[in-house]
Amino acid sequence: MLGEDHSLLNEFPEFKELIKQLILDDESFSDSASQYDELDEKIRNLELNDSPISDSEMHKMKHDRSKLKDFLFKKLMSHASKN
């Protein structure tokens, strides 16, 4: 669906508190989470404005978002299993 919110807190509501804690405590997680949410917002805005970029550029942006999401999810799972 176009314009759908894929922000980190929206994608992983069950990890809301852990996400907030890692943003404060883990610079790598915080940086990646910021990149992820900024990229998601950019994609959403482009989709809502009829994607004024090429399909290949949009595909690359979505691919990059997916890679960041995988990285962040692995970090979340790693920290969740420790608690």
Side-chain angles (χ1 to χ4, degrees), residues 2-50:
L2 294 180
E4 194 170 328
D5 181 2
H6 290 282
S7 65
L8 195 58
L9 289 174
N10 195 52
E11 290 292 296
F12 303 117
E14 68 276 20
F15 292 119
K16 181 180 179 178
E17 294 306 315
L18 181 56
I19 289 169
K20 289 179 179 181
Q21 190 61 46
L22 287 174
I23 286 172
L24 294 174
D25 296 343
D26 184 328
E27 187 176 344
S28 172
F29 184 91
S30 179
D31 290 346
S32 295
S34 291
Q35 289 175 21
Y36 176 87
D37 282 337
E38 287 172 15
L39 187 54
D40 178 60
E41 184 176 349
K42 186 173 183 179
I43 290 168
R44 192 169 47 253
N45 287 335
L46 287 167
E47 287 176 340
L48 292 172
N49 290 309
D50 238 359

